Amino acid sequence: MSDDGRHERRAELLGVVTMAIPVVITTSSRALMDVADYVMIAQLGLSEAQAAILPAQMIMWVYIILGMGVVSLVSSFASQSLGRQQYRECSTYAWQGLYLAAAIGITAAVLRPLLPGLIGLIGHEPAVQELELAYSRVALFTAGPTVAANALGWFFVGIHRPWVTMWSVLEANVVNIAVSLVLIFGFFGVPAMGIVGAAWGTFAGVSYRTVRLTCILVTPSMEQTYGSRQTWRPSAKKLRQLLRAGLPCGLHWVSEVLAWSIFVTVLVGTKFGTPHLVATNTAWQYLRISFMPAMGVGQALTALVGKSIGAGDPQRAIRETRIAVSITGVYMISLAFVYGVFRHELIMIFNTDPAVVEIGGKLMICAAVFQMFDALGITYSSALRGAGDTLIPSVFFVVNSWLIIVGGGWLATKLFPELGSLGPWLAAASFIVIAGIFLWLRWRGGAWMKIDLLST
């Protein structure tokens, strides 16, 4: 390789790392909101509260994730517009994302009365149901601000200013933790609200982040480069573009979160009881530690791939994707070793009940096994999204999440009940392995090179 070639490769590596670091911090920090809530709730010493918080969060995410999936394409459109040096187009997509978020928030208020029936249908123990309902009633109010903050965050990542969104989410976490501590435990004379206080803390955090990013969007420097004060009007064409490319992604995310929600709340919680549900919830916190940073690298890659394609250089997009896969692979394989070796100790950080520790240790081994394939799935899915290739991957995920996670998990409970919650976990692990291989093959097939996202 020539000196020029080596210099170009080093520049590409530096570009991926420079983009990935703040986006990893961003995605990890958002996950920290939920993990922080779990840690604080664990201090209450109520197994029912620990059992309730993840199902309640997943009920909320089943709805919110539809909007988040759609607005995730703001990054693809903004980065491809950036690559074409069409700067005003970038901010136009940010505003359309905000309008979609407003619709999500308004609809959430309409859907709120359905929560008691939904939670009752799941059928957990009465004490757990009561806490799930209390948390969900407040958490649903976070729908609009969460989608809005993500739309703006994706915009700033798309224009290759990831540090802006990173600082906003770090500040939001400070707000969340401060408000949650006061409301959960009742400091400074405020009545203790328990699990409901955690939901209000999250609402405060995401609302702060939305306001913070909106203020940055309309600063003079953003107006000068991107015309952000003039591109606020709704655009039917750009809304259609976002929905056309983003709706498959949103439906994919909804389907997957719904499948995982059934996995946690029904196949584990209802079939095997509270100790298995607590063990699953605890293991899930460690999965967040692994997949959220990987998703951060993936989100950075979406913007990098989008810009490279917009600039007419798909080969650069291929090289950037190869670098990102190497980063996520090394990271998740390292965590797989930690999860396998220290599985019992990690569970005991959150819960020392011997039954929970024994069950959780088995689940952590399962989680360790699929880490590398999760890295492949997350990274290649992000690269395909940057190119606008969302339909086929989304169809694959919708079909197979139900076929394997739900169908396979249910079959495991019937055929191998002696495995307990490990049976559904093994089915879920097989889905992650298959998904990683499929997305790798989809990227290698090169169909994404034929997509012209901005002309749709």
Side-chain angles (χ1 to χ4, degrees):
M1 182 183 295
S2 66
D3 289 341
D4 288 343
R6 281 192 292 269
H7 177 74
E8 183 180 4
R9 299 300 180 270
R10 283 194 296 268
E12 290 169 353
L13 174 60
L14 181 62
V16 173
V17 172
T18 302
M19 277 287 291
I21 289 174
V23 183
V24 166
I25 294 172
T26 298
T27 54
S28 302
S29 295
R30 178 58 188 89
L32 182 62
M33 281 195 185
D34 292 337
V35 175
D37 286 349
Y38 188 79
V39 171
M40 288 185 280
I41 291 301
Q43 303 310 307
L44 295 174
L46 298 173
S47 293
E48 292 84 0
Q50 283 185 270
I53 191 165
L54 181 58
Q57 287 173 341
M58 296 189 82
I59 289 169
M60 172 191 70
W61 281 109
V62 165
Y63 175 69
I64 293 176
I65 205 71
L66 173 63
M68 289 180 62
V70 175
V71 301
S72 71
L73 268 290
V74 169
S75 177
S76 302
F77 283 102
S79 59
Q80 291 205 20
S81 298
L82 182 70
R84 296 187 182 188
Q85 300 183 1
Q86 298 172 344
Y87 301 120
R88 289 174 62 90
E89 296 292 286
C90 299
S91 62
T92 303
Y93 289 108
W95 285 109
Q96 309 317 306
L98 287 179
Y99 298 136
L100 289 172
I104 291 287
I106 293 169
T107 307
V110 176
L111 295 175
R112 194 166 177 261
L114 300 178
L115 285 173
L118 176 61
I119 290 173
L121 185 65
I122 294 171
H124 289 162
E125 296 174 4
V128 175
Q129 283 192 46
E130 182 179 352
L131 293 173
E132 288 171 341
L133 180 58
Y135 184 94
S136 299
R137 278 175 166 160
V138 176
L140 201 58
F141 287 131
T142 67
T146 298
V147 176
N150 274 268
L152 293 172
W154 279 108
F155 162 70
F156 284 109
V157 171
I159 63 172
H160 289 216
R161 295 192 182 185
W163 296 98
V164 173
T165 190
M166 183 200 77
W167 284 114
S168 73
V169 80
L170 289 175
E171 294 165 11
N173 267 284
V174 173
V175 172
N176 170 61
I177 292 172
V179 174
S180 294
L181 278 171
V182 172
L183 297 182
I184 290 172
F185 300 106
F187 295 139
F188 307 114
V190 177
M193 300 174 68
I195 194 171
V196 176
W200 281 118
T202 301
F203 175 78
V206 297
S207 297
Y208 169 85
R209 186 178 176 220
T210 300
V211 173
R212 182 82 170 90
L213 289 174
T214 303
C215 290
I216 297 172
L217 176 65
V218 296
T219 56
S221 62
M222 292 297 297
E223 162 63 20
Q224 182 178 0
T225 304
Y226 298 97
S228 56
R229 297 180 185 176
Q230 303 173 48
T231 57
W232 59 269
R233 292 175 179 80
S235 168
K237 176 184 177 182
K238 288 178 172 55
L239 280 170
R240 283 197 303 271
Q241 287 178 324
L242 268 178
L243 289 170
R244 186 178 294 116
L247 199 54
C249 188
L251 292 173
H252 152 208
W253 288 10
V254 167
S255 179
E256 195 169 352
V257 171
L258 184 57
W260 282 110
S261 297
I262 293 173
F263 169 84
V264 171
T265 59
V266 178
L267 297 181
V268 174
T270 302
K271 296 289 186 182
F272 300 107
T274 298
H276 285 268
L277 184 56
V278 173
T280 290
N281 288 358
T282 304
W284 200 275
Q285 309 312 312
Y286 292 106
L287 288 182
R288 283 173 167 157
I289 293 172
S290 61
F291 72 70
M292 291 307 292
M295 287 183 67
V297 175
Q299 289 174 0
L301 180 63
T302 295
L304 290 164
V305 167
K307 184 180 179 183
S308 295
I309 291 174
D313 191 356
Q315 292 304 314
R316 183 183 178 95
I318 291 173
R319 295 192 298 270
E320 290 165 336
T321 301
R322 190 177 299 124
I323 293 169
V325 167
S326 300
I327 294 171
T328 56
V330 169
Y331 170 71
M332 296 190 83
I333 288 173
S334 300
L335 280 181
F337 174 79
V338 174
Y339 290 171
V341 174
F342 301 104
R343 55 191 181 276
H344 294 117
E345 291 82 358
L346 291 171
I347 297 295
M348 290 175 68
I349 291 174
F350 292 100
N351 195 301
T352 56
D353 183 334
V356 172
V357 173
E358 181 184 358
I359 296 166
K362 295 176 182 177
L363 304 186
M364 291 297 285
I365 292 177
C366 188
V369 169
F370 62 67
Q371 291 300 301
M372 181 58 199
F373 294 95
D374 207 14
L376 292 177
I378 291 169
T379 309
Y380 285 115
S381 176
S382 301
L384 290 167
R385 189 167 59 247
D389 187 1
T390 59
L391 181 58
I392 299 301
S394 296
V395 171
F396 168 85
F397 273 97
V398 169
V399 172
N400 287 284
S401 59
W402 287 94
L403 183 65
I404 302 175
I405 296 176
V406 178
W410 176 83
L411 195 61
T413 66
K414 295 297 182 182
L415 297 180
F416 308 104
E418 69 278 5
L419 292 177
S421 56
L422 182 61
W425 269 79
L426 289 171
S430 66
F431 166 77
I432 293 172
V433 171
I434 293 169
I437 294 172
F438 168 79
L439 291 167
W440 169 62
L441 293 173
R442 177 70 181 175
W443 176 258
R444 284 178 59 88
W448 54 271
M449 293 186 186
K450 302 175 183 178
I451 296 173
D452 187 353
L453 185 65
L454 296 179
S455 69
T456 58

